[in-house]
Structure formats: structure tokens, C-alpha cells
């Protein structure tokens, strides 16, 4: 009974965390590194959960949600793996690959939900055009669907793992899983390294060759910047944390975007007027940008809508400029936050773990080592990674919103106020330095382990060759943009086959 | 060197900057669009969007042939971006060889009632353009990012075609 109740709670927690992944905030509490640690602590397998969460994040660290591209859902994989450890008493190595299946299943379900929400646009547009109040229920439906989909996925994963545990899993599968699991940290560190190496090599140290637009130092015209509109600004800003709510393939962030700027549209056009209804429909059209940059875009659009209401620009021009700002902001935001801040914050969290003495995850997990790590030390790495990302993201949101509201053509509606090129360059350097340091740490810890275990020369050489082979695979994956799940599954099945053929597999 | 021809109404955004450019080692982006060519704000926004180390060139349809020939003769791997199928069809009519045309994104609007995958929405006239482009031997590749599974647009574009595909 306690297992069922524990599984129920785990599924509820997964469902709640999944809301952060897309619908609400993107504060990174849904990142597998953090979520795995929290769920592992609550499920009685803290270090196993933490390690699995790290692995799900690190191997997919170069996959980003760009435009309509949906990466594997690491949170679903992590939660399913922990559910399998809890309910099915799976060993972590088997749980990881079991979780990979559910990561795939949930990703497919996620795509279906986004397609379903595309169909909502017709009905929602009708309501808006008839002047009916913007239905916030669409967002609530979106939250509920996301929560229940994740809940069902994880509960099913746990239940199925329990059924599997009633049978005997063949030894060759367990051995194959153990071998391939021991190589996952190497793959992850390799992926991070080549991700940042590519960015570092492509950097131009001389600065932006295309030139920056002029900063409008004296001719900024801030709209709604007075104390009278402080409440509206706060309302809009806080609503922008729901920018991804109702995300769908045909119109992208339109639900969240309209929800956020509606208070300002009421101020500009007056609630219930035909101009207001038209503005609502206009801002329900397709819009997509990086979520952290959405406040800048929203500020710029509010400024544009004000100009349109005063007859200073035409409607088509408003649309063109909005689309162009959204794309440019997406370019900067994706480069900074998805491609750099997120993996750099992960690296910093990993360093905290290593400093705290938690390094057994580097060599496939050994539970006796886990007992030596305190919960505080275990959770500090992931917590720091969440705080580091969120601090930077919320700061950018705030500054971006202010810049967008006060921007104009001269400063590209606020975009030119930020030294994005410099930020990207510095993050690329930092990421490359950190990932190189991680690579060196990995080899260092390996040699220490080899000394402590008195490994023979042949064993050391075999293991080094294995690591180099994995790093070669990572390089190919980075260059050819290979799909990481395919590599993981290939590794797993190769290991299982070798094990089935009774060929001894080397554990790193 | 012309590495990729792509139709994407968002032109330069995250998929281009963090996926196609590193994947293909792109050093130059050529945008072909009359609207952008004549709009200084949109030109500046594109300049802002393109990453460091990648040069940006913008051409109108009239100057596209010359621009393409220039980029073809350089060593710089170049990504050619067009905001719609109109530009792609115009280039094909001008005799520009496009071995593969990547369809990355065409937004949904009221008159686009056909969809191919989740990112491509086509009107009847755009369906005709795809047929016309395909007749010239251009292969279509519908992917947002390199790691996506390509979507088969022919099932939409040629759904009501005769037995010869036209």
C-alpha cells in the first residue's frame, strides 16, 4: 500500500514539475538534474535519483526546444526511472533505460497535446471576435492536460515496473544495462564538451562583424512608464511567466502572449470596443520567441500598439516589425539561455557535487559511495543550478520588459540596449573552460580509481580506449547532429547482445 | 559555396542560429526578399540576429542572381534564406539551380488550409508552387532542424494530382 501511495505522490509531483517545463515559468525546477534529486530524496533513493536526473539532462544537453522542434522529455524519463526503482525495485542501470522508453512515450504525448491545442485556436478566435472575454479557461485546460498526461505516464511506468519485477529479468539484459549505463556519464561529459567546443571555435573574438545598431540615447519614448500604470506593468510582467501556456504548433505562444498583454490592450483601446476586439485578434496571431525574451517582445508590441492606435503606423507594418523583433529576440535568447546558460548552470552544479565529494556517478553508480554523501551536499548542486539559471532569466525578463516598453526603431525596440554578442562570447568561453575542466576531472578520477583498485595495465588501456570511443561518438553526434536517443539505444542493445553472447563487457 | 536553400517565414531565429549554422559550418547568410531589402529596420534586426563570425547579405529578387553567383564563387559555406515559396519559385524561374529546398516554416494563416507536418501550412497557390518547383527537379526537404525526421510534403502537394504527378 505504501508503495502505491508513494507512486501516487511521485506521479503528482512529476505532474506539478512538468508544468514548469512548458506551461508556467520555466524556472528550471523541472530540469532532470534538480527534479531527479528531489524525487530521489522523497522516494528513498536520493543518490540514485540524483544521478539518473543528471544523466537524463547531460546526455540531452545539446538538444534544445527551438521553434517547433521538441526534444526528448528528460523529466518524464527521470520520473519514470525513479518510479521503477521505487515500485519495481529496479536497479538504477535498468531503470535508466526503462525511463528512456517513457521519455519517448511522453514526448509523443506532448506533441499530440500541442497538436490538440492547435485546434483550440479556431474556437478561441471566434470567442475573441464576438467580443466574449478572453477565455482563461483555455490556459487552465492546458495546465490540466499537461499535469494529467505526466501523472498517467509516471503512474503507468511505476505500475508496469512492478509487474516486470514479478518476473525474472535475464542476466544478460542486466549486464548489458550495467555496462551501457556506466558509459552514460562519459557520453554526457563528451556531449557537453563538443557542444561548447563548437561554439568556442565559431566565436569571432574581434566582435560582431555585422555591427550593432545605434543606441537611442536621447530619443527613447517610454510608453506606460508612469506610476499610474505601475499596476498594469506588474500584471503584464507576471502574466508573461505564462507565455508558453497553451503552446501549439500553428500559432505557438499566442495564448500566453495575448493573456499577458491584454491589460495593456484594455488601456490603449478601451475594453469592449471594436478596436479592442481587433487588437485582441491581432495579438492572437502566431507569435514565437524565446520565453526569457518574451517580456522584451511584449514591451515592444505594447509600444507598437500605442503607435498604431495613434495612427502613426499601419497594421501590416506592426505585424512585420513584431515578427522581426520576435525572431531576433529568439535568436539572442536561444543562443544565450538554451545553448549556454542552461548547460553552464548544469556544469556549475556538477562542480559543486565534485567539491562535495560526490563523484561515484562518474563510474556507474555504487550505492556504498552514496551513503557517504549528505542530503545537503547532494541537493546543493542541483539547487544552485536552478538558482543560477533563474536569477539570470528573471533579471533579463525584467530588463527586457523595461527596454521593450521604452524602445523605438533606433534601438531596435530595446534589443540594441543589451550587449548580447559580448554575453554570448563570455558564456561560450566559460562553457568551454568548464567542460574542458570536467573532461580533465573525469580522467583524473579515473586514474585515482585505477590506482585505488590496483587495476592492471591492460585494464587501464581497455578502459581508456572505451572512453575515447565514446568521445568519438560524441564528436560525430555533435558534427552530424545525430539523435542522442538513437545512440543510447544502440549502446544498450550492443551491450545486451555482447552480454548474451557471453562476451565479457568492461565496466568503466 | 551555397550550402542550403531554406524557406522560413521567420528568417533568422533560434533554429537557424543554434542548429543549421553550427551543423553546416555556415559562414554567410544570404536573405533574398524585396520587403527586407527595402526596409532598414528589418535589415538591422536581421543583422542583430545573425551570430558573430557569420556575415549577412541581403538581396532583392532583382539582384538575387548576381548575389547568388557571388556567394557560389566564394569559399564561404552560405545559407540562402527566403521568407516564402514566392521567392523560391522566382529563383527557379530565373534558372537558379536549387538541388534541395529545405522548407523550415510557413506560418498558419486563414487562407492556408493544408498542413504538412506541424510547421508547414500551405494555400492552394503554394501547393501549385511546390508542384512547379518539383517539376524543375528540386528536391524538397521539410525539416525544422537537421535532427528532425523529414516530413513528406508531396502527400499534401500532390494529393489531387493526376497519375503523372502534375
Amino acid at each position: 500500500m505504501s508503495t502505491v501511495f508513494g507512486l501516487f505522490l511521485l506521479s503528482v509531483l512529476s505532474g506539478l514539475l512538468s508544468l514548469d517545463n512548458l506551461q508556467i515559468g520555466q524556472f528550471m525546477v523541472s530540469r532532470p538534474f534538480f527534479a531527479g534529486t528531489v524525487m530521489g530524496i522523497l522516494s528513498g533513493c536520493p543518490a540514485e535519483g540524483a544521478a539518473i536526473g543528471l544523466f537524463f539532462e547531460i546526455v540531452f544537453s545539446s538538444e534544445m526546444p527551438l521553434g517547433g522542434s521538441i526534444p526528448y522529455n528528460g523529466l518524464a524519463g527521470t520520473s519514470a526511472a525513479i518510479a521503477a526503482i521505487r515500485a519495481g525495485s529496479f536497479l538504477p542501470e535498468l531503470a535508466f533505460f526503462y525511463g528512456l522508453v517513457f521519455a519517448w512515450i511522453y514526448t509523443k504525448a506532448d506533441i499530440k497535446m500541442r497538436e490538440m491545442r492547435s485546434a483550440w485556436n479556431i474556437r478561441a478566435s471566434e470567442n475573441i471576435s464576438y467580443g466574449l472575454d478572453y477565455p482563461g479557461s483555455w490556459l487552465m485546460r492546458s495546465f490540466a492536460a499537461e499535469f494529467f498526461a505526466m501523472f498517467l505516464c509516471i503512474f503507468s511506468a511505476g505500475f508496469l515496473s512492478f509487474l516486470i519485477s514479478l518476473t525474472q529479468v535475464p542476466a544478460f539484459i542486466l549486464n548489458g544495462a550495467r555496462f551501457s549505463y556506466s558509459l552514460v556519464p562519459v557520453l554526457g561529459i563528451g556531449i557537453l564538451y563538443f557542444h561548447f567546443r563548437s561554439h568556442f571555435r565559431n566565436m569571432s573574438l574581434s566582435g560582431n562583424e555585422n555591427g550593432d545598431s545605434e543606441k537611442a540615447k536621447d530619443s527613447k519614448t517610454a510608453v506606460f512608464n508612469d506610476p499610474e500604470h505601475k499596476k498594469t506593468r506588474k500584471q503584464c510582467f507576471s502574466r508573461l511567466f505564462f507565455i508558453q501556456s497553451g503552446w501549439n504548433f500553428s500559432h505557438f505562444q499566442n495564448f500566453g502572449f495575448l493573456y499577458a498583454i491584454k491589460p495593456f490592450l484594455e488601456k490603449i483601446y478601451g475594453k469592449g470596443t471594436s478596436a479592442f476586439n481587433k487588437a485582441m485578434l491581432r495579438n492572437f496571431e502566431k507569435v514565437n520567441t524565446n520565453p526569457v525574451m518574451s517580456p522584451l517582445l511584449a514591451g515592444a508590441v505594447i509600444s507598437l500598439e500605442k503607435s498604431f492606435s495613434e495612427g502613426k503606423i499601419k497594421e501590416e507594418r506592426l505585424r512585420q516589425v513584431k515578427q522581426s523583433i520576435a525572431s531576433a529576440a529568439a535568436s539572442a535568447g536561444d543562443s544565450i539561455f538554451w545553448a549556454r546558460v542552461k548547460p553552464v548552470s548544469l556544469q556549475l552544479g556538477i562542480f559543486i557535487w565534485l567539491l562535495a565529494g560526490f563523484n561515484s556517478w562518474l563510474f556507474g553508480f555504487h550505492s556504498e559511495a552514496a551513503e557517504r554523501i549528505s542530503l545537503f551536499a547532494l541537493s546543493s548542486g542541483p539547487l544552485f543550478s536552478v538558482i543560477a539559471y533563474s536569477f539570470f532569466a528573471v533579471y533579463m525578463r525584467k530588463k527586457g520588459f523595461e527596454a521593450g516598453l521604452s524602445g523605438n526603431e533606433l534601438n531596435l525596440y530595446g534589443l540594441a540596449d543589451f550587449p548580447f554578442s559580448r554575453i554570448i562570447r563570455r558564456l561560450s568561453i566559460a562553457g568551454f573552460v568548464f567542460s574542458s575542466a570536467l573532461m580533465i576531472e573525469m580522467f583524473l578520477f579515473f586514474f585515482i580509481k585505477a590506482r585505488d583498485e590496483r587495476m592492471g595495465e591492460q585494464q587501464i588501456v581497455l578502459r581508456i580506449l572505451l572512453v575515447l570511443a565514446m568521445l568519438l561518438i560524441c564528436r560525430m553526434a555533435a558534427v552530424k547532429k545525430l539523435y542522442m536517443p538513437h545512440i543510447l539505444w544502440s549502446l544498450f542493445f550492443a551491450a545486451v547482445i555482447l552480454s548474451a553472447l557471453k562476451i565479457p563487457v568492461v565496466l568503466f | 559555396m551555397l550550402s542550403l536553400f531554406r524557406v522560413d517565414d521567420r528568417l533568422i531565429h533560434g533554429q537557424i542560429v543554434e542548429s543549421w549554422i553550427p551543423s553546416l559550418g555556415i559562414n554567410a547568410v544570404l536573405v533574398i526578399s524585396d520587403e527586407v531589402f527595402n526596409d532598414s529596420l528589418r535589415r538591422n534586426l536581421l543583422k542583430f540576429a545573425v551570430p558573430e563570425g557569420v556575415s549577412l547579405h541581403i538581396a532583392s529578387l532583382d539582384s538575387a542572381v548576381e548575389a547568388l553567383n557571388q556567394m557560389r564563387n566564394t569559399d564561404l559555406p552560405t545559407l540562402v534564406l527566403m521568407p516564402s515559396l514566392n521567392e523560391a519559385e522566382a529563383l527557379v524561374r530565373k534558372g537558379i539551380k536549387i538541388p534541395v529546398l529545405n522548407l523550415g516554416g510557413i506560418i498558419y494563416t486563414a487562407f492556408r488550409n493544408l498542413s504538412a507536418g506541424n510547421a508547414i501550412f500551405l494555400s492552394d497557390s503554394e501547393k501549385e508552387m511546390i508542384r512547379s518547383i518539383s517539376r524543375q527537379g528540386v528536391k524538397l526537404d521539410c525539416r525544422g532542424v537537421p535532427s528532425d525526421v523529414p516530413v513528406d510534403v508531396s502527400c499534401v502537394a500532390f494529393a489531387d494530382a493526376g497519375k503523372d504527378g502534375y
Side-chain angles (χ1 to χ4, degrees):
Chain A
M1 190 59 185
S2 69
T3 303
V4 174
F5 185 63
L7 180 59
F8 175 82
L9 285 180
L10 182 68
S11 307
V12 167
L13 180 59
S14 305
L16 290 171
L17 286 173
S18 74
L19 294 177
D20 172 74
N21 188 42
L22 182 71
Q23 307 288 339
I24 308 171
Q26 294 87 50
F27 294 107
M28 289 296 133
V29 292
S30 56
R31 71 187 313 173
F33 187 39
F34 178 79
T37 305
V38 169
M39 287 192 283
I41 289 171
L42 295 173
S43 301
C45 51
E48 292 92 331
I52 284 176
L54 170 63
F55 296 160
F56 266 107
E57 180 147 359
I58 206 172
V59 291
F60 297 125
S61 54
S62 63
E63 297 197 6
M64 294 166 269
L66 305 173
S69 178
I70 314 296
Y72 250 48
N73 193 300
L75 173 66
T78 302
S79 306
I82 293 172
I85 292 174
R86 182 88 167 80
S89 302
F90 276 31
L91 291 169
E93 47 264 33
L94 191 62
F96 176 80
F97 290 99
Y98 181 78
L100 201 57
V101 173
F102 284 88
W104 177 80
I105 291 172
Y106 188 81
T107 304
K108 293 292 175 198
D110 187 7
I111 291 171
K112 283 290 169 209
M113 283 192 288
R114 294 173 195 233
E115 287 171 359
M116 172 187 77
R117 290 194 289 263
S118 293
W120 291 358
N121 284 298
I122 299 170
R123 181 79 183 277
S125 295
E126 277 174 11
N127 286 354
I128 292 167
S129 65
Y130 291 137
L132 297 173
D133 198 10
Y134 176 67
S137 64
W138 295 110
L139 297 190
M140 296 305 296
R141 275 179 234 192
S142 196
F143 300 158
E146 188 97 38
F147 172 84
F148 282 113
M150 182 63 85
F151 174 89
L152 281 172
C153 180
I154 303 312
F155 198 86
S156 308
F159 182 69
L160 183 62
S161 71
F162 170 72
L163 294 178
I164 293 171
S165 71
L166 299 175
T167 65
Q168 181 82 17
V169 177
F172 68 89
I173 291 180
L174 287 174
N175 289 337
R178 190 141 203 234
F179 171 58
S180 39
Y181 186 65
S182 72
L183 293 171
V184 170
V186 180
L187 279 177
I189 289 171
I191 288 287
L192 265 180
Y193 174 78
F194 287 107
H195 170 78
F196 279 111
R197 182 170 167 261
S198 154
H199 285 306
F200 185 72
R201 284 171 75 174
N202 291 338
M203 248 170 38
S204 160
L205 293 169
S206 60
N208 192 341
E209 292 167 11
N210 297 312
D212 294 309
S213 296
E214 260 181 60
K215 272 196 189 183
K217 291 184 180 64
D218 300 317
S219 53
K220 286 187 188 180
T221 47
V223 295
F224 300 114
N225 221 17
D226 49 344
E228 191 196 330
H229 292 102
K230 186 176 175 185
K231 190 181 164 194
T232 314
R233 289 198 302 277
K234 275 190 171 174
Q235 199 180 14
C236 180
F237 182 75
S238 56
R239 286 182 176 206
L240 281 162
F241 285 100
F242 297 88
I243 185 68
Q244 302 264 76
S245 303
W247 198 102
N248 59 89
F249 284 115
S250 65
H251 291 58
F252 293 87
Q253 295 166 333
N254 64 326
F255 281 96
F257 188 77
L258 180 59
Y259 175 65
I261 73 164
K262 180 171 170 265
F264 273 110
L265 295 181
E266 287 172 356
K267 294 283 177 194
I268 294 170
Y269 297 105
K271 196 173 175 181
T273 61
S274 70
F276 171 72
N277 289 344
K278 284 180 184 164
M280 291 275 279
L281 271 175
R282 187 166 52 245
N283 286 286
F284 198 57
E285 290 168 1
K286 173 189 162 171
V287 60
N288 196 37
T289 195
N290 180 274
V292 178
M293 302 298 287
S294 61
L296 186 147
L297 173 66
V301 168
I302 290 162
S303 180
L304 287 165
E305 286 283 346
K306 188 85 170 63
S307 299
F308 173 73
S309 71
E310 291 164 357
K312 291 177 183 167
I313 57 167
K314 292 198 164 81
E315 192 177 31
E316 190 49 37
R317 179 66 178 161
L318 194 166
R319 282 197 177 92
Q320 285 173 352
V321 174
K322 176 185 169 185
Q323 163 93 319
S324 298
I325 295 171
S327 297
S331 173
D334 289 350
S335 291
I336 292 174
F337 289 94
W338 291 142
R340 288 163 180 81
V341 175
K342 193 176 172 204
V344 166
S345 61
L346 171 70
Q347 288 168 325
L348 292 173
I350 293 172
F351 283 131
I352 289 177
W353 267 5
L354 293 175
L355 282 171
F358 183 43
N359 54 45
S360 59
W361 58 269
L362 280 166
F363 313 112
F365 186 73
H366 298 294
S367 58
E368 58 270 17
E371 287 162 10
R372 292 199 286 269
I373 184 95
S374 69
L375 285 183
F376 174 74
L378 190 68
S379 48
S380 56
L383 188 61
F384 180 82
S385 74
V386 166
I387 292 170
Y389 180 94
S390 297
F391 176 78
F392 199 1
V394 172
Y395 179 78
M396 183 64 227
R397 281 174 174 267
K398 181 174 181 298
K399 289 295 175 191
F401 190 50
E402 289 164 7
L405 280 176
S406 58
N408 55 37
E409 282 204 16
L410 280 176
N411 72 342
L412 306 182
Y413 289 92
L415 281 167
D417 287 356
F418 299 94
F420 287 130
S421 298
R422 204 183 324 146
I423 293 170
I424 288 169
R425 208 179 314 134
R426 288 181 182 173
L427 285 170
S428 298
I429 293 170
F432 181 63
V433 167
F434 293 156
S435 51
S436 303
L438 260 180
M439 187 76 81
I440 292 168
E441 293 256 17
M442 179 180 73
F443 279 103
L444 199 62
F445 277 117
F446 166 68
F447 285 120
I448 292 172
K449 180 174 148 73
R451 181 202 64 189
D452 290 346
E453 289 180 9
R454 295 201 170 96
M455 269 185 214
E457 271 181 22
Q458 202 181 23
Q459 284 188 328
I460 292 174
V461 167
L462 262 175
R463 280 162 174 78
I464 289 176
L465 285 175
L466 200 52
V467 168
L468 292 175
M470 291 301 109
L471 293 179
L472 192 61
I473 290 172
C474 292
R475 185 168 185 279
M476 275 173 50
V479 167
K480 302 279 180 199
K481 287 289 173 190
L482 298 178
Y483 201 35
M484 202 57 204
H486 294 165
I487 295 175
L488 287 169
W489 282 121
S490 302
L491 184 62
F492 174 74
F493 285 117
V496 164
I497 290 168
L498 284 175
S499 185
L501 295 173
K502 305 235 188 290
I503 296 169
V505 287
V506 172
L507 276 184
F508 178 49
Chain B
M1 178 181 16
L2 303 175
S3 299
L4 182 73
F5 286 81
R6 175 176 168 103
V7 170
D8 190 333
D9 50 27
R10 298 175 66 205
L11 292 174
I12 301 175
H13 57 104
Q15 287 183 343
I16 304 297
V17 165
E18 287 301 328
S19 215
W20 287 105
I21 286 180
S23 165
L24 298 177
I26 297 291
N27 286 127
V29 174
L30 170 60
V31 173
I32 299 176
S33 163
D34 286 341
E35 278 184 6
V36 174
F37 185 77
N38 295 317
D39 187 333
S40 66
L41 172 62
R42 291 177 73 185
R43 283 202 309 273
N44 282 334
L45 282 165
L46 279 179
K47 276 188 208 167
F48 178 90
V50 85
E52 267 191 337
V54 176
S55 60
L56 175 68
H57 310 265
I58 300 171
S60 62
L61 274 171
D62 285 340
S63 56
V65 174
E66 189 189 334
L68 282 165
N69 287 334
Q70 264 180 4
M71 301 312 296
R72 186 179 278 122
N73 294 331
T74 66
D75 289 333
L76 299 175
T78 302
L79 167 63
V80 181
L81 275 175
M82 295 158 281
S84 71
L85 284 165
N86 293 312
E87 284 81 6
E89 200 200 16
L91 288 184
V92 170
R93 269 191 273 111
K94 284 175 191 271
I96 297 292
K97 247 190 137 23
I98 302 178
V100 178
L101 180 66
N102 171 250
L103 298 187
I106 301 176
I107 64 165
Y108 172 82
T109 52
F111 56 84
R112 287 187 173 126
N113 52 358
L114 305 159
S115 71
N118 289 318
I120 313 288
F121 297 88
L122 302 169
S123 62
D124 289 334
S125 61
E126 283 163 336
K127 201 169 78 170
E128 279 307 316
M129 280 185 222
I130 285 181
R131 287 181 186 173
S132 158
I133 288 168
S134 297
R135 259 179 242 137
Q136 303 304 319
V138 177
K139 201 171 155 239
L140 295 170
D141 165 43
C142 299
R143 283 183 291 166
V145 294
S147 57
D148 279 348
V149 174
V151 170
D152 180 13
V153 76
S154 60
C155 59
V156 170
F158 297 97
D160 55 356
K163 45 179 191 193
D164 60 357
Y166 303 130

